[in-house]
Amino acid sequence: NEMAQGALRPARARELCTAMQRASKGDRWVGTVATLSANNAGKGVLVIRVSDKLSSGTWNNELSDFEDRTLINPQSTLHAAAVQLRVGQAVSFQGLVIGHKDDCYREMSLTPTGAMTRPEFAMRFTDVRPIE
């Protein structure tokens, strides 16, 4: 239930911080494109599913993205690479997972259950490439 999940969330945050400290900033991740769209201002929205229960991506609107700056600039080389992709495609990617006090990293789910069972962490992508 959500009460139990709320109690477990700080412990998960500590474990996540510890695990991510072992990852190098230059590491490439692999996943599958889950969302590929644009917001009303034309900025790119990208979500990559890393596993059945974990994904990383941009916010889908400028208000939510005000602090994190994850939306993809349409004039960037990253945007040019992303528009060549398709939903369901396997990709490798790099980026900065946005830090946050509650979950160690900014988690974008609307509910505590979503945050604990299918977390989606905000990422400022720096590179994305199809896996051939």
Side-chain angles (χ1 to χ4, degrees), residues 52-72:
D52 288 343
K53 296 182 179 183
L54 176 69
S55 58
S56 286
T58 65
W59 288 101
N60 63 5
N61 66 84
E62 301 225 35
L63 182 61
S64 298
D65 197 46
F66 179 73
E67 288 183 34
D68 298 334
R69 301 178 330 275
T70 63
L71 290 165
I72 302 170

Side-chain angles (χ1 to χ4, degrees), residues 36-99:
L36 191 60
S37 65
N39 72 354
N40 289 340
K43 292 184 178 178
V45 176
L46 175 63
V47 177
I48 299 176
R49 182 151 309 283
V50 178
S51 74
D52 288 343
K53 296 182 179 183
L54 176 69
S55 58
S56 286
T58 65
W59 288 101
N60 63 5
N61 66 84
E62 301 225 35
L63 182 61
S64 298
D65 197 46
F66 179 73
E67 288 183 34
D68 298 334
R69 301 178 330 275
T70 63
L71 290 165
I72 302 170
N73 183 323
Q75 281 75 47
S76 69
T77 56
L78 176 61
H79 192 276
V83 298
Q84 302 299 315
L85 304 174
R86 68 183 187 291
V87 172
Q89 186 171 20
V91 294
S92 68
F93 63 98
Q94 290 177 298
L96 173 68
V97 184
I98 308 298

